[in-house]
């Protein structure tokens, strides 16, 4: 016995009804399309047609706007940096944006990082990041830390 000789006792092998193959097939003559009219003919697509009435997709107002040239930016602040240093045991002497992406702390697909002035740094830290607010830069420089903004 070969695998192609096995007969199925299940009803899963049910033949499709063949349309327009004679009156004995159950779907002969008009092939289930009824009699006459536009829908009985081939090559007709009137899916969104409402009989000459203004279609619903044109009656409703347009909504929203998607800016395709927008730059995605993720926020990071001093509180977050303090937590990251504790949790991931990062070297506080130098924190780089690339390292945060490589360790999968932040997803690069969600955008570049921007440092915001929220909280206070507990440890002196040198940071290399894409964007930073002016207040965050001033706060770091007052502490004696260096910030390097990456040009992209």
């Amino acid at each position: 016995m070969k695998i192609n000789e096995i007969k199925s006792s299940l009803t899963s092998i049910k033949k499709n009804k063949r349309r327009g193959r004679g009156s004995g097939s159950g779907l002969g003559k008009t092939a289930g399309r009824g009699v006459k009219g536009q829908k009985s003919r081939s090559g007709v697509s009137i899916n969104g047609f409402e009989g000459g009435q203004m279609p619903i997709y044109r009656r409703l107002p347009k909504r929203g706007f998607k800016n395709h040239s927008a730059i995605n930016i993720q926020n990071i602040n001093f509180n977050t940096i303090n937590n990251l240093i504790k949790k991931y045991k990062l070297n506080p002497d130098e924190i780089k944006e690339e390292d945060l992406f490589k360790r999968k702390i932040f997803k690069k697909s969600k955008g570049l990082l921007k440092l915001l002035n929220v909280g206070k740094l507990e440890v002196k830290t040198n940071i290399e990041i894409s964007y930073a607010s002016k207040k965050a830069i001033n706060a770091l420089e007052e502490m004696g830390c260096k910030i390097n903004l990456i040009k992209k």
Side-chain angles (χ1 to χ4, degrees):
M1 179 175 279
K2 295 174 189 161
I3 197 148
N4 63 332
E5 294 173 352
I6 298 171
K7 297 287 181 190
S8 174
S9 61
L10 303 172
T11 57
S12 61
I13 304 171
K14 184 180 177 185
K15 290 189 176 180
N16 295 339
K17 277 201 171 183
R18 296 175 69 218
R19 294 169 169 265
R21 296 295 185 277
S23 57
S25 69
L27 282 173
K29 194 183 168 203
T30 55
R33 285 174 177 258
V35 189
K36 295 187 183 174
Q38 187 179 15
K39 285 186 176 178
S40 71
R41 320 271 188 238
S42 66
V44 174
S45 60
I46 52 171
N47 291 351
F49 188 67
E50 297 181 25
Q53 173 178 296
M54 184 62 68
I56 192 162
Y57 67 88
R58 288 183 61 196
R59 272 180 275 159
L60 298 174
K62 289 192 253 181
R63 297 279 294 162
F65 167 76
K66 183 160 188 167
N67 187 357
H68 296 290
S69 62
I71 301 168
N72 293 337
I73 295 175
Q74 302 178 73
N75 295 335
I76 185 172
N77 56 47
F78 297 134
N79 291 336
T80 317
I81 291 172
N82 291 332
N83 294 337
L84 292 176
I85 290 170
K86 290 175 189 171
K87 186 176 179 182
Y88 294 98
K89 296 179 177 107
L90 294 175
N91 181 14
D93 296 336
E94 192 167 12
I95 294 175
K96 292 185 177 182
E97 186 177 294
E98 275 185 38
D99 296 337
L100 298 177
F101 290 140
K102 281 181 186 173
R103 286 179 161 219
K104 297 184 180 173
I105 299 168
F106 291 94
K107 288 184 179 178
K108 197 166 193 173
S109 61
K110 288 189 177 179
L112 301 172
L113 299 180
K114 180 173 183 172
L115 181 66
L116 301 178
N117 183 30
V118 177
K120 287 199 173 186
L121 269 178
E122 296 170 358
V123 189
K124 276 194 173 185
T125 312
N126 296 329
I127 300 172
E128 189 176 292
I129 201 160
S130 292
Y131 305 100
S133 67
K134 289 178 182 176
K135 288 185 178 180
I137 294 170
N138 292 338
L140 277 172
E141 288 173 351
E142 284 175 12
M143 280 186 66
C145 305
K146 290 182 183 176
I147 183 163
N148 184 17
L149 296 178
I150 306 164
K151 304 288 182 200
K152 293 207 176 183

